Amino acid sequence: MRDWKGIIFDLDGVLLSTDHFHYLAWKALADRLGIPFDEKKNDLLRGVSRMDSLEIILGERSDEFSPEEKLAFATEKNLTYRSYLQTLTPEFVSPEVPETLQKLRDSGLRLAVGSSSKNTPLILEKTDLRKYFDAVSDGNNITKSKPDPEVFLKAAQFIGLDPSECVVVEDADSGIEAAKRGGFYAISIGDSVTNGLDDRHINSLVELL
Ligand code: BG6
Ligand code: MG
């Protein structure tokens, strides 16, 4: 790999499998509304903001509901999701994740989180992962969600680096697109990225070493 100065990590689905909690929480709402929803459709929501995700789930039925009802649906989903997050502990994270983050830090790289989620602070606290990062850019400091590059551009700014000096690690098509639009080197992880925009693919964070 090139001589990178920083790595920006997506959170859900990259550092830990909270993506499955998102799925379970949306599934509960979709079932209640009688809307078909499965893990494949859930892949379309990766990296996408809460309200945009709701629109994707409602699909053709979106017009049936008022903005107030939609807000209530999103709140309902988030409450279910947060009840799963309350069960998080440091042990929920694969041991190779903190080990790899520590080694990357020791090698002099600056590390940041770049996530669309407004629940990022809670997740980092429950899992004790916050200490590995020089900065966190998340759903609380952006106005445009992935595939807009804003969250990664802010992350790079927070760690004082230019996008050309940073790698982004992502599990979502929307995140890979955001990284490329922002001028970052984009690494995909897992099997959900299908848009072919990634510069490289890895199966485990250990491969970053
Ligand atoms: C992303 C997830 O990290 O955060 C998306 O991949 C999710 O699925 C988005 O919709 C927003 O999350 P939250 O926690 O703010 O509802
Ligand atoms: Mg993700």
Side-chain angles (χ1 to χ4, degrees):
M1 276 211 306
R2 244 163 57 192
D3 208 7
W4 307 108
K5 293 192 175 144
I7 307 184
I8 302 169
F9 294 85
D10 173 51
L11 177 67
D12 299 316
V14 169
L15 294 176
L16 73 174
S17 47
T18 36
D19 47 331
H20 188 61
F21 291 163
H22 277 294
Y23 165 69
L24 293 175
W26 282 126
K27 175 80 177 145
L29 177 71
D31 283 353
R32 187 170 80 64
L33 298 175
I35 295 174
F37 185 67
D38 56 19
E39 302 237 22
K40 199 162 166 47
K41 198 158 179 195
N42 188 57
D43 280 347
L44 301 175
L45 314 181
R46 288 176 188 270
V48 178
S49 74
R50 198 179 306 164
M51 291 312 287
D52 289 350
S53 296
L54 177 65
E55 286 300 337
I56 292 172
I57 290 170
L58 294 178
E60 290 171 353
R61 291 189 54 193
S62 173
D63 290 349
E64 280 178 37
F65 306 103
S66 68
E68 293 74 23
E69 284 173 307
K70 288 180 183 177
L71 206 53
F73 291 156
T75 303
E76 177 183 331
K77 180 266 174 174
N78 194 48
L79 285 174
T80 312
Y81 179 58
R82 283 179 74 96
S83 71
Y84 287 115
L85 295 184
Q86 291 306 329
T87 69
L88 286 178
T89 62
E91 290 69 41
F92 184 86
V93 182
S94 297
E96 80 240 26
V97 172
E99 283 165 21
T100 303
L101 293 172
Q102 189 57 54
K103 284 181 186 159
L104 292 169
R105 279 179 76 78
D106 291 346
S107 74
L109 285 157
R110 283 178 232 172
L111 307 187
V113 170
S115 167
S116 304
S117 174
K118 293 186 166 150
N119 290 298
T120 299
L122 175 65
I123 295 170
L124 293 178
E125 184 214 309
K126 300 284 280 181
T127 55
D128 208 18
L129 284 174
R130 177 63 184 86
K131 62 187 177 203
Y132 298 102
F133 297 98
D134 300 292
V136 175
S137 174
D138 64 28
N140 300 296
N141 65 253
I142 55 170
T143 55
K144 286 164 279 176
S145 189
K146 300 169 189 173
D148 190 279
E150 183 181 8
V151 73
F152 295 138
L153 294 174
K154 289 256 168 70
Q157 191 188 326
F158 292 162
I159 54 177
L161 295 175
D162 188 80
S164 64
E165 299 173 304
C166 303
V167 169
V168 165
V169 185
E170 258 292 349
D171 70 317
D173 275 341
S174 63
I176 292 290
E177 185 183 334
K180 293 315 296 173
R181 278 166 61 180
F184 298 87
Y185 185 86
I187 297 184
S188 62
I189 188 166
D191 49 21
S192 306
V193 171
T194 56
N195 61 10
L197 297 176
D198 47 339
D199 295 301
R200 194 185 146 192
H201 179 77
I202 58 172
N203 292 304
S204 159
L205 290 183
V206 176
E207 291 175 52
L208 294 173
L209 302 168

